[in-house]
């Protein structure tokens, strides 16, 4: 048996290799309030309820009370009524998946269901379509604003459509879709309308209170039937907690599950999970109780200030620009010709900043994603200095060139028939043959992946994921 101190020391050493989760330097994946003591409160609350099981709310009524409190808070923020109901899930993907499942199950007469999505909708909806055999109908967005086009969305709705989706905001570009117009088109056809507000649902209503022009996107919009909002994003709760709201209980019924056809207990689930630790639920409840409305308004002000200052820093750097006017806290930054975007990402990382590369898609060129949080307030000038230096170094280094033979090899690969030998050859070309770890600089690998068609990129990364998840 190893001592507790020894085990924790090893865990701390392992964590040292991760990107930082606090301090505002990791501009994706994490949401940092910058407040002292909040992590400790959440950890203590998590510990108090971690052994409780959300599988049976009658056995653990504390979890039922806390879940209803969280759903109520989200409903009030997003224009819910007395009829609004909801469920706490493990994260945004599960919330979006359940919205699709509920829509499919709520339309049993549709034998070939489809879901109408703008091309900027989160990949979680494609995952849901894959899992539940619902056909995704993908509609191109406006090529300049990157917002969903209401008329095109309306035209895509047919007799098999069970759900229409809009984003508030979209992840890739940080813009709000025209929810009211899309919801009206869905309602006119008697189709459900889901708003993916996983990122913006908690912060945008506070932005509105601070005077920013934010259109309604929740239940105040006629035709909106469900909304998802993540608490582990701008409610600054630990991962993973999200809330899926439905306008009424009948709309939610389709993602409940009951199983009595076996000799054990009757399984009854409100989400995809059965056993659910009460830890994340209690941690989220404690954070919401502690911060309250005034606390969230102050955090929203800090985030809004940081967005404007980071935006100004970007505008001052020659050779870079924003792809879209940000409606929320997400920015998409691209570079001019001659400045390799993937090299900029590498250079930023050497300076202690993690920015997330996004590949080109339709009219959206390759870009760098920035998630701005309250913790970025005060660090904007430091970010700007790092960006200027990184862009200058990338300009001096020149574009990353992929060998012509490798580019031709990628062009000929069939994702459905990719062999281990072909995958191994690509790993070797990327300098990762023989089980080598990821290199410190990713520009060359990202340049190769950028040449791959989306289906091929998916297959290559699935194979790579299989290499990562192997027992030590």
């Amino acid at each position: 048996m190893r001592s507790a101190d020894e085990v924790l020391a090893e865990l701390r050493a392992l964590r040292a290799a991760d990107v930082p989760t606090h301090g505002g330097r990791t501009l994706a994946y994490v949401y940092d309030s910058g407040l002292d003591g909040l992590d400790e409160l959440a950890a203590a609350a998590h510990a108090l309820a971690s052994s409780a099981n959300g599988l049976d709310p009658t056995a653990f009524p504390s979890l039922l009370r806390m879940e209803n409190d969280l759903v109520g808070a989200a409903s009030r923020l997003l224009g819910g009524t007395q009829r609004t109901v909801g469920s706490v899930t493990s994260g945004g993907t599960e919330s979006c998946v359940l919205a699709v499942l509920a829509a499919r199950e709520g339309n049993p007469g549709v034998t070939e269901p489809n879901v109408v999505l703008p091309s900027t909708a989160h990949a979680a909806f494609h995952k849901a379509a894959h899992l539940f055999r619902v056909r995704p109908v993908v509609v191109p967005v406006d090529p300049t604003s990157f917002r969903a086009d209401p008329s095109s969305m309306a035209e895509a709705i047919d007799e098999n459509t069970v759900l229409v989706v809009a984003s508030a905001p979209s992840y890739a570009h940080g813009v709000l879709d025209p929810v009211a117009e899309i919801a009206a088109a869905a309602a006119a056809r008697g189709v459900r309308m889901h708003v993916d507000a996983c990122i913006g649902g908690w912060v945008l209503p506070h932005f509105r209170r601070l005077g920013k022009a934010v259109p309604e996107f929740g239940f105040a919009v006629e035709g909106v039937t469900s909304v998802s909002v993540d608490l582990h994003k701008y409610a600054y709760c630990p991962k993973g907690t999200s809330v899926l709201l439905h306008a009424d209980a009948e709309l939610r019924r389709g993602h409940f599950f009951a199983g009595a056809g076996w000799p054990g207990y009757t399984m009854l689930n409100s989400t995809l999970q059965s056993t659910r630790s009460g830890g994340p639920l209690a941690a989220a409840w404690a954070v919401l109780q502690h911060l309250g409305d005034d606390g969230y308004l102050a955090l929203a002000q800090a985030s809004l200030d940081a967005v404007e200052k980071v935006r100004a820093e970007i505008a001052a750097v020659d050779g870079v620009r924003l792809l879209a006017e940000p409606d929320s806290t997400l920015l998409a930054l691209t570079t001019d010709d001659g400045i390799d975007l993937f090299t900029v990402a590498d250079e930023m990382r050497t300076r202690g900043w993690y920015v997330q590369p996004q590949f080109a898609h339709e009219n959206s060129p390759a870009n760098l994603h920035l998630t701005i949080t309250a913790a970025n307030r005060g660090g904007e000038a430091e970010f700007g200095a790092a960006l200027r230096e990184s862009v200058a170094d990338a300009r001096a280094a020149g574009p990353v060139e992929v060998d012509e033979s490798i580019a031709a090899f990628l062009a000929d690969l069939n994702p459905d028939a990719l062999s281990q030998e072909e995958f191994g050859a690509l790993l070797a070309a990327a300098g990762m043959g023989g089980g080598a770890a990821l290199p410190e600089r990713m520009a060359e690998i990202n340049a190769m992946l950028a040449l791959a068609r989306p289906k091929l990129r998916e297959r290559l990364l699935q194979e790579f994921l299989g290499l990562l998840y192997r027992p030590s």
Side-chain angles (χ1 to χ4, degrees):
M1 180 181 292
R2 300 174 66 188
S3 71
D5 288 344
E6 183 182 1
V7 171
L8 290 175
E10 182 175 352
L11 177 56
R12 293 187 188 97
L14 290 171
R15 285 279 288 115
D18 296 342
V19 295
T21 56
H22 295 79
R25 284 176 165 263
T26 300
L27 299 176
Y29 303 128
V30 297
Y31 298 81
D32 181 14
S33 70
L35 296 178
D36 292 336
L38 199 62
D39 284 358
E40 290 76 13
L41 169 65
H46 190 289
L48 283 171
S50 63
S51 59
N53 191 344
L55 174 62
D56 187 346
T58 65
F60 299 97
S62 66
L63 302 187
L64 178 63
R65 161 67 188 278
M66 288 186 284
E67 178 156 355
N68 283 333
D69 284 352
L70 294 178
V71 169
S75 177
R76 288 188 293 274
L77 199 62
L78 294 167
T81 69
Q82 290 185 336
R83 300 178 64 200
T84 304
V85 296
S87 300
V88 175
T89 74
S90 63
T93 292
E94 187 180 9
S95 289
C96 296
V97 162
L98 289 174
V100 175
L101 177 61
R104 191 199 72 176
E105 294 299 288
N107 289 272
V110 179
T111 57
E112 297 182 356
N114 69 57
V115 54
V116 173
L117 308 166
S119 60
T120 50
H122 197 280
F125 293 98
H126 294 273
K127 183 175 185 175
H130 169 74
L131 291 173
F132 302 133
R133 298 296 184 261
V134 175
R135 183 170 65 89
V137 177
V138 180
V139 181
V141 298
D142 182 274
T144 302
S145 69
F146 300 104
R147 292 183 176 87
D149 177 59
S151 60
S152 297
M153 295 284 286
E155 290 174 5
I157 300 170
D158 63 22
E159 65 277 5
N160 291 318
T161 303
V162 297
L163 186 68
V164 178
V165 173
S167 304
S170 60
Y171 182 85
H173 303 104
V175 298
L176 271 72
D177 288 332
V179 170
E181 293 93 330
I182 297 171
R189 298 292 298 271
V191 176
R192 298 186 189 205
M193 167 71 183
H194 179 77
V195 177
D196 174 14
C198 287
I199 292 179
W202 204 267
V203 71
L204 286 173
H206 291 100
F207 278 6
R208 190 184 295 122
R209 287 184 56 196
L210 292 168
K212 184 176 174 63
V214 177
E216 291 287 350
F217 59 86
F219 292 106
V221 177
E222 187 175 355
V224 170
T225 58
S226 59
V227 182
S228 52
V229 53
D230 289 359
L231 302 183
H232 59 221
K233 291 189 169 72
Y234 287 94
Y236 296 107
C237 300
K239 300 181 185 302
T241 45
S242 174
V243 175
L244 171 60
L245 298 170
H246 290 278
D248 60 55
E250 184 61 32
L251 293 168
R252 178 180 62 175
R253 191 181 312 278
H255 72 66
F256 280 11
F257 175 80
W262 73 304
Y265 64 94
T266 297
M267 180 182 285
L268 189 62
N269 305 143
S270 60
T271 68
L272 293 178
Q273 302 176 86
S274 292
T275 289
R276 291 192 294 160
S277 169
L281 191 68
W285 183 87
V287 169
L288 261 67
Q289 295 293 321
H290 175 64
L291 290 176
D293 189 60
D294 291 342
Y296 280 117
L297 195 64
L299 288 169
Q301 182 70 70
S303 298
L304 186 58
D305 291 345
V307 167
E308 293 304 317
K309 291 181 182 297
V310 168
R311 183 179 174 183
E313 292 289 342
I314 293 169
V317 179
D318 183 43
V320 299
R321 62 183 175 86
L322 291 178
L323 277 181
E325 288 295 311
D327 289 329
S328 184
T329 54
L330 310 180
L331 308 178
L333 167 68
T334 194
T335 54
D336 293 341
D337 291 342
I339 303 172
D340 188 83
L341 179 130
F342 300 129
T343 300
V344 173
D346 283 346
E347 291 294 335
M348 288 293 286
R349 190 152 188 176
T350 66
R351 291 167 172 81
W353 295 85
Y354 178 83
V355 292
Q356 184 181 52
Q358 298 185 139
F359 294 104
H361 182 75
E362 293 182 343
N363 289 309
S364 179
N367 61 87
L368 299 177
H369 171 92
L370 311 179
T371 294
I372 307 300
T373 69
N376 291 111
R377 184 69 181 92
E380 302 93 347
E382 189 178 358
F383 167 84
L387 182 62
R388 281 190 295 275
E389 294 170 4
S390 298
V391 169
D393 286 353
R395 182 184 280 112
V400 172
E401 301 288 347
V402 177
D403 185 271
E404 290 183 5
S405 62
I406 296 175
F409 184 55
L410 282 166
D412 290 339
L413 282 179
N414 179 355
D416 296 324
L418 181 72
S419 69
Q420 286 298 312
E421 291 75 15
E422 290 170 328
F423 182 62
L426 280 177
L427 284 179
M432 297 165 57
L438 278 174
E440 290 187 6
R441 299 182 69 87
M442 290 290 294
E444 289 78 9
I445 292 174
N446 282 327
M448 289 173 58
L449 288 171
L451 293 177
R453 304 177 306 281
K455 288 296 182 184
L456 177 58
R457 193 185 309 144
E458 290 170 0
R459 178 64 192 278
L460 291 173
L461 292 176
Q462 285 172 346
E463 292 297 322
F464 179 68
L465 199 64
L467 290 180
L468 292 179
Y469 286 99
R470 290 189 176 183
S472 57

